[in-house]
Amino acid sequence: DRSVEKASTTVGLDYGMLALDNGDRIRLFGTPGQARFDFLWQILAREALGLVILTDNSRPDPLADLAMFLDGFAESLATLPCVIGVGRLDTHPHTTLEQYGDALEARNLVFPVLAADVRQRADVVLLIDTLLGQIEAGMQLDAP
């Protein structure tokens, strides 16, 4: 990613697990955000129950970044619930949550868009709770 003036990028997958009060466990996987690693996106999305897309509002064109993720996950987003987390909204308010919503609407997509500081546990839990709510609602709709 040349916009951050780095000579190299470390490629790795992030993994975490969240234990719920009822004993269920949620496995979380994170991928590199650069488009050249979109093959990893497809691999992880295959067995996913939902997606959390994180964007960085301090980037030069965060809506273009969102478009890249929406394009990269287009096949998965046709069937999976999703929530969009926008980081650094407080320090770089030039793109608003409403503008993110408008970008989704222009693609006929409806997903929750939340301000999120991924360093804050409460923000991460809100993203996951929002996604779990969508997953649970979808399961109830599919029930006979």
Side-chain angles (χ1 to χ4, degrees):
D1 184 354
R2 303 220 189 282
S3 69
V4 292
E5 299 180 12
K6 291 169 52 176
S8 62
T9 299
T10 301
V11 178
L13 297 176
D14 292 326
Y15 172 76
M17 187 168 45
L18 179 66
L20 301 179
D21 291 338
N22 67 0
D24 288 342
R25 292 177 293 164
I26 300 171
R27 289 186 279 265
L28 304 168
F29 297 91
T31 68
Q34 295 91 349
R36 67 182 181 268
F37 299 114
D38 64 351
F39 66 95
L40 291 173
W41 304 351
Q42 305 313 313
I43 292 168
L44 290 178
R46 263 186 283 200
E47 299 295 324
L49 296 177
L51 299 171
V52 175
I53 295 175
L54 298 174
T55 64
D56 180 351
N57 217 43
S58 70
R59 299 252 311 142
D61 191 349
L63 292 178
D65 292 342
L66 176 63
M68 175 189 67
F69 292 126
L70 295 175
D71 291 342
F73 285 106
E75 186 176 319
S76 299
L77 291 173
T79 59
L80 292 177
C82 178
V83 62
I84 310 295
V86 181
R88 298 193 174 123
L89 192 64
D90 55 341
T91 59
H92 296 78
H94 53 83
T95 305
T96 66
L97 291 180
E98 184 175 298
Q99 289 172 295
Y100 282 93
D102 291 345
L104 291 170
E105 187 177 325
R107 293 172 172 256
N108 294 317
L109 297 171
V110 179
F111 300 126
V113 180
L114 306 170
D117 182 340
V118 295
R119 299 168 299 176
Q120 301 297 319
R121 179 178 172 80
D123 287 6
V124 174
V125 169
L126 180 59
L127 288 169
I128 294 169
D129 279 346
T130 302
L131 185 62
L132 289 175
Q134 291 178 74
I135 292 169
E136 186 176 278
M139 288 177 176
Q140 291 174 357
L141 291 174
D142 293 340

